[in-house]
Amino acid sequence: MAHFDTEYQRLEASYSDSPPGEENLLMHVAEGAKSHWHHIENLDLFFQRISLYLIKNGFTCMLLGELFELVYLLFVVCFTVFLANCVDYDVLFANKFVNHTDSSKVTLPDALIPMDVCSARIRDNGFVIFVLIISGVFWLHRLVKFFYNVCCYWEIRSFYKNALKMSMVRRTNLPYATWQEVQARIIEIQKEHQICIHKKELTELDIYHRILRFKNYMVVAMVNKSLLPVRFRLPVLGEVVFFTRGLKYNFELIFFWGPGSLFENEWSLKSEYKRGGNRLELADRLASRILWIGIANLLLCPVILVWQILYAFFSYTEVIKREPGSLGARCWSLYGRCYLRHFNELDHELMSRLSKGYKASSKYMNCFLSPLLTVVAKNIAFFAGSLLAVLIALTIYDEDVLAVEHVLSSITLLGVCITICRSFIPDKHMVFCPEQLLRVILAHIHYMPDHWQGNAHRYETRDQFSQLFQYKAVSVFILEELLSPVVTPIILIFCLRRKSLEIIDFFRNFTVEVIGVGDTCSFAQMDIRQHGHPAWMSEGKTEASIYQQAEDGKTELSLMHFAITNPHWQPPQETTHFISQLKERVHREAAGAPSETHPLSLSESEPRSLVANLLAGPSSLASVHFGCDNSLINHAVAGSDGASALRSLSPVSSSLHLRGSLSMAQRASGFTGKAMRTDAHTVSSGSSAWEGQLTSMVLSEYASTEMSIHALYIHESRGELSRHTWHRRESDESSDSIPDEVRSDHNPQSKSFPRSHTFPTVVSSPSATSTSANSSKPKGQEEEKSQSQRRHSGPATVRVARVPMGGWAVDGQAAPRHHEAVPEESSEDEMPPHIHKVSTLNAIDITALLACAGPQ
Amino acid sequence: MNCRSEVLEVTVEARQIDEAMLALLHTILLHRSTGKFHYKKEGTYSIGTVGTADSDCDFIDFTFVRVSSEELDRVIRKAVCEFKDGLNNSGSDGMGQISLEFYQKKKSRWPFSDECIPWEVWTIKVNVVNLANEQERQICREKVGEKLGEKVINVVEVINRNEYLPKMPTQSEVDNVFDTSLKDVQPYLYKITYQITDSLGTSVSTTMRRLIKDTLAL
């Protein structure tokens, strides 16, 4: 090829993308990653940690907690080995004499076996070595986990600090940031950083779904559809609920994260489980997995058992010695916590709700103390007490008494004995009013089987309730520590295995894939249309088959709970409709009753106006006699110190209006104002003024009250519904089952009938003629029923008769007392117990609801 | 998982596998590549040019556009060849999937290695068919061409959706987002993995990894 010499020359510079004229170039500005919080890989875990971090009060607390747990483990193992091998018990019990030159006293070091002998003893003992090795491995595992967790929480800490801009210093002092606050910030952050890449914006429901994905499945949905084998019919004991932490752990292992579990990873179910084709084969596979895990449990049983016993011994002995009463105390059982949990309810929300119901629940259980036992206990306590008194008096006189053999131990034993006896002696001021107590409990726990209503005085109800609310001693010591390791493999192998097909079907039918969240339990969507139960207010809206319906009104109540705790949440259209309809009804009740009727003549209004009754009660007590709803709101807004004025009002009604108007204001500012409640319109202008003052803490406190009212209302209309359908069948009277219509359509008998059972409260006139709700309408089936009830309920009948009498007897004097009692509303909690007990039935409800609104 | 995932399904003849795969992978990568960044001072940069080239298929009636980068082409060809060999040698019913995963690296503190967090995964499921005679092959040739055309439009639609993309990095972070090893083009960090027959499910190693992670977690 010839070479031409032209002016065109090859550029010397090496080939480069960048042309020489830099100033003409299009320049880009790199955004960079402002923080490394964008696009988080495992959002489930991330959100879980965020909520845990909040609940456990920040980094320092968590660090120390985990550290002490490590130390604790080490201590338990070492100390046990030491006690078993290195102590000369003969010296300690003074069976063997030690030769001392200087003094005759035995010192602690004398009882110890010398180091070398001791270590030789340990080395020779194969079992001890075995235990040591196992616990060593376990401990190392915990150590690695500890470091891992510390790193994770450090990340979370910096997330709180840098991304959420929540100061940690403050948090250690004042752990008062609510989850709602944190959540709102996370949603905010998402807009900026895109933590989740599927969506531009996160919703509250997304976050809850991610945190509670498995809990929604197992704890709520599977328990709700009674899929998990936790109820057993035993020959002697009758129906027993057995659900322990060990069992729960195994269930989780099988379904969610163990090797070969149904879930592929944290966020998606394996695809073969979503197809119905080979369900039988999958069920077989699941069954064999359950079998293997059961066998593994059986093999590990001795190790777990030994560990549990040691753990129990070291953690509870001291407690029992210090306050033996804790043996008689009750707590919410694990099953209870599952049964009572809403869909999408975080642990701390559940626990605070249940704790609020604790007092009423223990009072309810104490109602059923056996009188026989009480008599015996009283006398034993007397004798033990006198012995103890003598011993103590002698000891005070001369300390040498203590040196006498077994004096110290008998003092201790007598003390324990007295405390146990005392737990069987009911409070002197106790009034037997189980129906009211159960209603108060319901206001907090939100769930209860239908047949409890009106049967609160029965022992069956009590027994069933005690499954939810167990003796701590029973649930913790016996079930957890001792029985669980043995029974768990048996349940797995013999009961759960049989249900494998049902489980496979459950996961296939009730899993939906939500964009940006992954596979979640469809119940947790809280879609009334898919999972509503027609008997629970969602009639006409639900299209669910019986298999799809959630039991106990779980869907409806969960929906209300979620909507109330997260007022910013914007549910889908139909759901919004349901919520607003329900809220409107409750509001109407609240607003209507005081204007129509005087609070004392509530018998004219509807039986279902319990809510109205409740609302009317406290507000009249607070001596704010408002004609209607508007005046209250105006009053509140007009008050220069809005928040404090509101607080001085009745907490119940104010919370309703307050929250209603607040959420109204939020809605109005958020998007085009939806005219949901006309009565709340007046406020929306003024609300912003005190929105700032009312922290979310106050709001969430009111939220729980509002939820209580809604729960009561839903149960109420549910109860009414079922009774009306029953009534309709009997008398062939056509009536609409929706409560609104009931008001106008019914004759007095059918109206008063339901009241007799569920609302002794609204039978108002304290005249002697209408002593008992039952006797006031001795007509038709009603009387028959009450009679048959008496026949069946056996020993309890005597007490039934006592209910109204006890209530009415004091009614006259109690009513005025309230007017003084309530204005200092912050302290009803500390109100002396006799006020609760002596006051009318009516007042119990009110005070209880006040108590739930008050700072507990 | 916090990432988008798109699934494409194609049915091809054995000899068409590599061309079909190349067509799809290159199409995706064409839209997920930029020119080289030239940082001026911290925070600003200019973008180099990217050439494109048409690529004709021998066994399919199809022409696709790809980034004209030999290096990138070589890397992808290698992965596709492995996939094809694996598929041919498996002797099973000829099912397999190849996935192209875009990820970003996240620097972690000392005890942990850098995390690779995927943000988009393209999975191409391949179904291999055997054809009896030449006429069927001819029809298949056209059919597959049409199908691939649809898929390409699919891909473009997805990419046009304006969804999450990693933010443009500063100079120090550029390696966390882009693959800067190539001389003439700079695609987002990607990883090509394949799997023969999906019945195998997750491999043992991933299960083990998950097990360890799970036990370490809460």
Side-chain angles (χ1 to χ4, degrees):
Chain A
M1 245 272 184
H3 241 288
F4 297 105
D5 239 7
T6 62
E7 338 174 351
Y8 296 103
Q9 292 279 319
R10 196 177 165 197
L11 275 176
E12 278 312 302
S14 67
Y15 179 78
S16 154
D17 255 349
S18 165
E22 280 188 9
E23 61 278 7
N24 301 330
L25 272 179
L26 184 60
M27 296 299 289
H28 300 261
V29 178
E31 299 159 88
K34 278 182 219 119
S35 68
H36 60 295
W37 300 116
H38 65 103
H39 186 202
I40 284 152
E41 188 183 22
N42 193 339
L43 271 179
D44 284 31
L45 211 58
F46 187 67
F47 286 150
Q48 272 168 26
R49 284 189 189 135
I50 287 179
S51 86
L52 199 71
Y53 186 85
L54 183 80
I55 294 164
K56 292 218 177 153
N57 299 321
F59 186 74
T60 326
C61 292
M62 294 179 100
L63 181 76
L64 282 180
E66 297 234 347
L67 199 65
F68 279 124
E69 212 166 296
L70 274 180
V71 176
Y72 184 92
L73 263 168
L74 202 65
F75 176 79
V76 168
V77 173
C78 294
F79 194 54
T80 317
V81 171
F82 171 79
L83 282 184
N85 293 294
C86 302
V87 177
D88 193 346
Y89 288 96
D90 284 341
V91 175
L92 215 54
F93 297 146
N95 296 340
K96 192 167 86 179
F97 289 100
V98 204
N99 299 330
H100 271 292
T101 47
D102 45 351
S103 83
S104 60
K105 291 217 167 160
V106 181
T107 53
L108 267 184
D110 290 335
L112 300 185
I113 296 171
M115 240 356 227
D116 44 343
V117 183
C118 177
S119 55
R121 256 171 106 172
I122 292 175
R123 239 176 282 131
D124 294 342
N125 194 337
F127 179 72
V128 174
I129 297 282
F130 172 73
V131 168
L132 277 181
I133 288 175
I134 285 195
S135 41
V137 169
F138 184 66
W139 194 78
L140 279 181
H141 168 249
R142 291 292 292 263
L143 188 71
V144 173
K145 194 170 157 177
F146 166 74
F147 281 117
Y148 180 80
N149 279 345
V150 167
C151 292
C152 291
Y153 290 122
W154 187 257
E155 290 262 291
I156 298 293
R157 181 178 173 273
S158 58
F159 178 75
Y160 265 91
K161 211 171 176 176
N162 302 327
L164 297 185
K165 307 261 187 308
M166 293 182 122
S167 154
M168 283 309 109
V169 184
R170 199 198 63 181
R171 276 199 52 72
T172 46
N173 299 331
L174 295 166
Y176 286 144
T178 61
W179 168 245
Q180 261 65 33
E181 248 169 44
V182 173
Q183 191 176 253
R185 301 240 183 153
I186 293 174
I187 290 171
E188 206 106 305
I189 291 283
Q190 159 73 6
K191 288 176 193 155
E192 190 186 337
H193 296 284
Q194 276 213 305
I195 315 178
C196 170
I197 64 161
H198 289 92
K199 301 174 152 189
K200 283 268 170 336
E201 287 184 25
L202 279 174
T203 67
E204 285 89 348
L205 195 59
D206 289 343
I207 297 177
Y208 272 81
H209 271 330
R210 280 185 180 274
I211 296 177
L212 295 168
R213 192 191 303 271
F214 295 148
K215 283 191 174 145
N216 276 334
Y217 263 115
M218 197 185 85
V219 174
V220 193
M222 291 174 95
V223 169
N224 186 256
K225 298 298 283 180
S226 21
L227 199 63
L228 294 180
V230 290
R231 290 174 161 277
F232 305 96
R233 217 158 248 301
L234 293 185
V236 186
L237 297 169
E239 196 174 74
V240 177
V241 167
F242 185 87
F243 195 45
T244 60
R245 270 182 303 164
L247 194 58
K248 191 174 152 209
Y249 182 84
N250 275 295
F251 286 154
E252 281 167 8
L253 185 83
I254 291 165
F255 301 137
F256 302 124
W257 56 267
S261 62
L262 308 187
F263 272 74
E264 193 173 6
N265 41 38
E266 278 105 354
W267 46 83
S268 62
L269 193 64
K270 278 182 188 155
S271 55
E272 64 253 39
Y273 289 96
K274 289 182 188 169
R275 289 190 290 262
N278 45 355
R279 53 193 275 270
L280 295 175
E281 185 201 322
L282 290 175
D284 276 352
R285 227 196 298 164
L286 182 66
S288 70
R289 277 196 54 235
I290 294 172
L291 179 67
W292 283 115
I293 287 179
I295 289 173
N297 261 289
L298 207 58
L299 292 181
L300 287 177
C301 165
V303 180
I304 301 172
L305 194 64
V306 167
W307 170 252
Q308 294 272 46
I309 291 171
L310 283 182
Y311 190 90
F313 179 77
F314 285 112
S315 41
Y316 299 120
T317 338
E318 192 267 338
V319 177
I320 291 175
K321 209 213 145 285
R322 190 156 34 91
E323 36 181 340
S326 67
L327 270 181
R330 287 175 177 271
C331 62
W332 296 99
S333 67
L334 191 62
Y335 172 74
R337 271 178 272 160
C338 293
Y339 174 79
L340 299 173
R341 192 173 192 145
H342 290 294
F343 288 115
N344 300 319
E345 185 173 34
L346 291 174
D347 287 338
H348 70 277
E349 291 170 345
L350 175 76
M351 282 331 286
S352 74
R353 187 158 69 87
L354 292 185
S355 309
K356 280 178 193 162
Y358 182 87
K359 241 186 202 170
S361 305
S362 46
K363 241 186 257 167
Y364 175 75
M365 294 310 284
N366 282 342
C367 281
F368 290 91
L369 286 177
S370 140
L372 186 72
L373 216 59
T374 308
V375 174
V376 174
K378 262 182 191 160
N379 286 295
I380 291 179
F382 172 74
F383 291 121
S386 39
L387 274 179
L388 186 65
V390 169
L391 281 181
I392 289 175
L394 284 177
T395 314
I396 291 170
Y397 181 70
D398 191 346
E399 277 179 15
D400 283 342
V401 179
L402 278 181
V404 179
E405 204 178 22
H406 295 314
V407 164
L408 197 61
S409 48
S410 40
I411 288 181
T412 317
L413 273 182
L414 285 172
V416 172
C417 179
I418 289 172
T419 328
I420 291 174
C421 286
R422 210 173 284 151
S423 71
F424 287 109
I425 302 172
D427 196 337
K428 237 190 285 178
H429 310 290
M430 181 75 83
V431 173
F432 185 76
C433 48
E435 198 73 53
Q436 267 60 51
L437 281 173
L438 205 59
R439 293 207 68 70
V440 176
I441 295 167
L442 177 65
H444 294 294
I445 67 174
H446 301 173
Y447 292 101
M448 113 185 162
D450 297 331
H451 57 269
W452 286 9
Q453 279 204 356
N455 291 324
H457 55 278
R458 292 201 181 183
Y459 271 89
E460 294 92 79
T461 311
R462 177 216 172 263
D463 289 343
Q464 282 171 11
F465 185 68
S466 75
Q467 289 173 351
L468 307 180
F469 195 61
Q470 271 172 332
Y471 276 118
K472 219 183 232 166
V474 175
S475 79
V476 176
F477 291 92
I478 300 171
L479 284 184
E480 288 273 315
E481 320 292 353
L482 305 179
L483 277 181
S484 176
V486 184
V487 180
T488 301
I490 297 174
I491 290 179
L492 287 181
I493 294 174
F494 294 105
C495 302
L496 189 67
R497 213 147 57 91
R498 258 186 275 141
K499 296 211 169 193
S500 59
L501 187 61
E502 281 175 61
I503 291 168
I504 295 284
D505 285 342
F506 176 87
F507 275 99
R508 192 183 61 249
N509 290 325
F510 297 123
T511 295
V512 285
E513 200 178 334
V514 181
I515 297 171
V517 180
D519 290 334
T520 55
C521 182
S522 64
F523 282 109
Q525 293 287 314
M526 302 182 297
D527 189 348
I528 299 289
R529 202 159 50 101
Q530 275 181 23
H531 297 296
H533 196 296
W536 293 87
M537 316 262 327
S538 57
E539 189 163 36
K541 298 188 190 76
T542 174
E543 295 164 10
S545 64
I546 292 177
Y547 178 57
Q548 286 171 329
Q549 286 162 3
E551 308 300 323
D552 305 316
K554 199 76 147 188
T555 318
E556 289 81 3
L557 281 162
S558 300
L559 178 64
M560 279 322 290
H561 179 260
F562 192 78
I564 286 172
T565 44
N566 297 287
H568 292 272
W569 179 55
Q570 286 160 16
Q573 193 60 44
E574 283 168 55
T575 316
T576 318
H577 185 65
F578 174 81
I579 295 173
S580 58
Q581 206 179 355
L582 184 63
K583 275 193 179 171
E584 207 176 339
R585 269 193 218 165
V586 176
H587 266 253
R588 206 163 48 219
E589 298 266 315
S595 57
E596 283 168 17
T597 55
H598 190 264
L600 275 179
S601 57
L602 273 168
S603 59
E604 264 87 67
S605 76
E606 275 311 292
R608 73 206 149 77
S609 59
L610 163 90
V611 176
N613 187 11
L614 290 172
L615 295 178
S619 53
S620 65
L621 299 175
S623 64
V624 184
H625 292 286
F626 53 95
C628 66
D629 174 38
N630 273 347
S631 71
L632 166 76
I633 291 168
N634 290 339
H635 179 98
V637 175
S640 53
D641 41 358
S644 61
L646 269 173
R647 278 185 143 278
S648 71
L649 286 180
S650 81
V652 177
S653 50
S654 67
S655 78
L656 256 186
H657 299 301
L658 172 76
R659 282 180 51 82
S661 48
L662 257 188
S663 61
M664 188 65 204
Q666 283 150 5
R667 258 166 240 261
S669 63
F671 50 104
T672 53
K674 257 191 214 163
M676 267 174 46
R677 287 181 298 277
T678 42
D679 59 338
H681 266 308
T682 46
V683 208
S684 51
S685 56
S687 64
S688 58
W690 30 271
E691 194 167 12
Q693 294 179 28
L694 294 164
T695 59
S696 63
M697 198 68 187
V698 179
L699 274 184
S700 69
E701 265 175 49
Y702 283 133
S704 72
T705 318
E706 191 183 350
M707 183 58 209
S708 300
I709 292 170
H710 280 87
L712 281 179
Y713 182 81
I714 291 176
H715 271 273
E716 210 35 65
S717 48
R718 152 74 173 156
E720 202 153 289
L721 206 69
S722 57
R723 270 190 300 276
H724 275 293
T725 45
W726 173 78
H727 190 82
R728 207 184 308 171
R729 239 178 285 131
E730 294 287 314
S731 65
D732 215 12
E733 182 191 56
S734 72
S735 68
D736 202 322
S737 48
I738 298 172
D740 290 69
E741 274 73 43
V742 173
R743 179 188 291 230
S744 52
D745 286 355
H746 275 270
N747 59 40
Q749 281 145 32
S750 67
K751 227 196 283 179
S752 51
F753 166 50
R755 194 190 307 152
S756 65
H757 279 276
T758 44
F759 293 104
T761 48
V762 286
V763 179
S764 69
S765 65
S767 59
T769 47
S770 64
T771 42
S772 134
N774 278 339
S775 60
S776 67
K777 38 208 143 327
K779 282 185 185 174
Q781 333 93 348
E782 158 54 26
E783 196 188 11
E784 276 171 37
K785 197 184 172 193
S786 65
Q787 276 175 356
S788 66
Q789 211 173 58
R790 280 187 195 154
R791 248 180 282 126
H792 289 311
S793 51
T797 34
V798 189
R799 286 171 177 169
V800 184
R802 230 198 288 157
V803 178
M805 280 158 63
W808 295 124
V810 260
D811 179 47
Q813 312 105 22
R817 199 180 298 171
H818 279 297
H819 288 269
E820 301 128 33
V822 174
E824 21 122 28
E825 153 259 316
S826 55
S827 66
E828 329 73 358
D829 203 2
E830 291 81 49
M831 230 195 282
H834 62 268
I835 290 196
H836 281 277
K837 285 153 198 162
V838 172
S839 54
T840 60
L841 304 172
N842 215 334
I844 289 183
D845 260 8
I846 294 162
T847 40
L849 269 165
L850 282 175
C852 72
Q856 275 215 0
Chain B
M1 193 190 290
N2 200 3
C3 84
R4 290 190 296 271
S5 77
E6 310 287 341
V7 181
L8 305 170
E9 258 179 89
V10 287
T11 307
V12 292
E13 212 190 339
R15 56 183 183 152
Q16 294 168 332
I17 296 173
D18 48 354
E19 281 180 343
M21 293 303 100
L22 277 179
L24 292 175
L25 293 179
H26 264 307
T27 307
I28 298 165
L29 273 169
L30 170 69
H31 297 284
R32 292 278 179 239
S33 300
T34 65
K36 299 287 280 183
F37 283 7
H38 300 276
Y39 285 93
K40 297 305 164 207
K41 45 188 190 287
E42 188 62 32
T44 59
Y45 59 92
S46 61
I47 304 178
T49 53
V50 184
T52 53
D54 280 2
S55 221
D56 295 325
C57 301
D58 292 333
F59 301 104
I60 313 172
D61 273 349
F62 191 66
T63 303
F64 60 89
V65 185
R66 64 173 177 83
V67 175
S68 68
S69 159
E70 290 308 316
E71 282 175 274
L72 185 63
D73 190 46
R74 215 176 301 134
V75 174
I76 293 176
R77 258 176 212 285
K78 193 167 157 254
V80 169
C81 272
E82 277 174 29
F83 173 63
K84 185 189 169 190
D85 291 344
L87 207 54
N88 288 340
N89 296 337
S90 69
S92 63
D93 50 351
M95 292 267 289
Q97 61 178 34
I98 188 161
S99 51
L100 173 59
E101 180 182 304
F102 292 100
Y103 64 94
Q104 54 183 332
K105 277 195 231 162
K106 208 173 255 191
K107 288 259 182 291
S108 306
R109 276 195 191 76
W110 155 73
F112 308 105
S113 56
D114 286 359
E115 290 176 280
C116 295
I117 306 173
W119 49 272
E120 191 176 59
V121 178
W122 295 85
T123 308
I124 305 168
K125 291 194 170 160
V126 187
N127 212 348
V128 182
V129 288
N130 288 316
L131 298 175
N133 53 38
E134 194 54 40
Q135 197 194 352
E136 278 183 17
R137 284 199 188 116
Q138 209 54 45
I139 296 169
C140 180
R141 190 186 156 90
E142 288 168 22
K143 272 270 165 58
V144 171
E146 275 170 35
K147 271 267 139 46
L148 284 182
E150 279 171 31
K151 298 290 174 216
V152 167
I153 289 173
N154 247 352
V155 170
V156 174
E157 270 170 6
V158 170
I159 281 171
N160 272 342
R161 251 186 238 150
N162 189 23
E163 279 174 330
Y164 174 85
L165 285 179
K167 296 221 167 84
M168 288 304 146
T170 52
Q171 188 159 17
S172 52
E173 292 164 345
V174 72
D175 285 328
N176 293 344
V177 177
F178 289 104
D179 180 0
T180 48
S181 61
L182 305 179
K183 208 163 76 232
D184 40 7
V185 70
Q186 180 178 290
Y188 282 102
L189 280 174
Y190 66 94
K191 199 157 56 182
I192 298 179
T193 52
Y194 62 86
Q195 212 178 356
I196 311 298
T197 64
D198 59 353
S199 62
L200 202 68
T202 45
S203 63
V204 181
S205 73
T206 52
T207 318
M208 279 312 292
R209 211 160 2 127
R210 262 205 50 226
L211 207 70
I212 292 167
K213 245 192 159 172
D214 281 340
T215 42
L216 281 180
L218 300 173

